[in-house]
């Protein structure tokens, strides 16, 4: 039971089946959540505009405009966690839902424990995202990486990096003291659709070492032989 931890969280439940809505409401309240119910799309958008919610449970088939339309409207202004509730047979809509920014979906009929578990996952992800956004300035030794401005300095001396060099350095620094495999680096920095030599990672690590480690006579980037690379904070 995580009632205490969930005490302040406010949920918008959008569901036109009154009995189901009432059941979910009671269970969520029992868990310590605050719950508002909207039985149709228009009311849902009104409530969303008027209150600050922490998560939306969103039925797909609704009178007025449907769940997809509500999701689209929510996503124009908010990255709040949204979990779609879909009936069996709406499988293709599930995929569409995730594509258009739903965090998760649950198929009806569902066990309430499943809903609560998915909600906890969504909250956790959302909290992690907030922490990541807070980490827009990265530091390692005398190196300062300003992510929004895409600027790198060593002890106030600006370092000129290409886009890829910057992305690579940022990724290593965000995961400092953690060994990243070439594959992880490749996927993150070059993207999953990159087609080409995997030794591109080694080439760019060399560029970075030349521009930072060698130039300022420091050691930022370490090699774990046969595995990959990591940025190290301590000597
Ligand atoms: Ca419905």
């Amino acid at each position: 039971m995580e009632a205490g931890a969930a005490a302040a969280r406010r949920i918008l439940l959008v569901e036109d089946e009154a009995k189901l809505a009432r059941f979910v409401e009671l269970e969520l309240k029992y868990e310590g959540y605050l719950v508002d119910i909207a039985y149709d799309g228009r009311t849902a958008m009104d409530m969303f505009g008027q209150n600050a919610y922490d998560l939306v449970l969103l039925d797909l088939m609704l009178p007025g405009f449907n769940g997809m339309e509500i999701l689209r409207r929510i996503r124009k202004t908010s990255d709040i966690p949204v979990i779609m509730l879909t009936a069996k047979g709406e499988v293709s809509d599930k995929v569409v839902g995730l594509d258009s920014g739903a965090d998760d979906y649950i198929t009806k009929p569902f066990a309430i424990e499943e809903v609560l578990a998915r909600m906890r996952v969504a909250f956790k992800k959302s909290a992690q995202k907030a922490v990541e956004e807070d980490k827009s300035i990265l530091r390692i030794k005398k190196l300062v990486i300003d992510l929004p401005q895409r600027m790198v300095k060593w002890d106030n001396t600006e370092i000129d990096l290409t886009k890829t060099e910057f992305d690579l350095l940022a990724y290593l620094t965000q995961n400092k003291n953690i060994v990243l495999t070439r594959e992880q680096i490749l996927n993150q920095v070059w993207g999953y659709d990159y087609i080409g030599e995997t030794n591109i990672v080694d080439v760019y690590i060399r560029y970075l070492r030349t521009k930072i480690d060698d130039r300022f006579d420091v050691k930022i980037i370490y090699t774990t032989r046969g595995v990959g690379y990591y940025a190290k904070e301590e000597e």
Side-chain angles (χ1 to χ4, degrees), residues 15-17 59-62 108:
E15 173 60 71
D16 62 316
E17 291 165 53
D59 183 27
L60 188 59
M61 299 303 288
L62 291 162
K108 296 176 189 175

Side-chain angles (χ1 to χ4, degrees), residues 48 74 84 86 106 110 121 127 141 170 198 215 221 223 230:
F48 189 78
I74 288 174
M84 304 288 292
T86 68
I106 298 169
F110 47 73
V121 170
K141 293 170 187 172
T198 54
R215 179 174 169 197
I221 300 168
T223 307
Y230 63 104

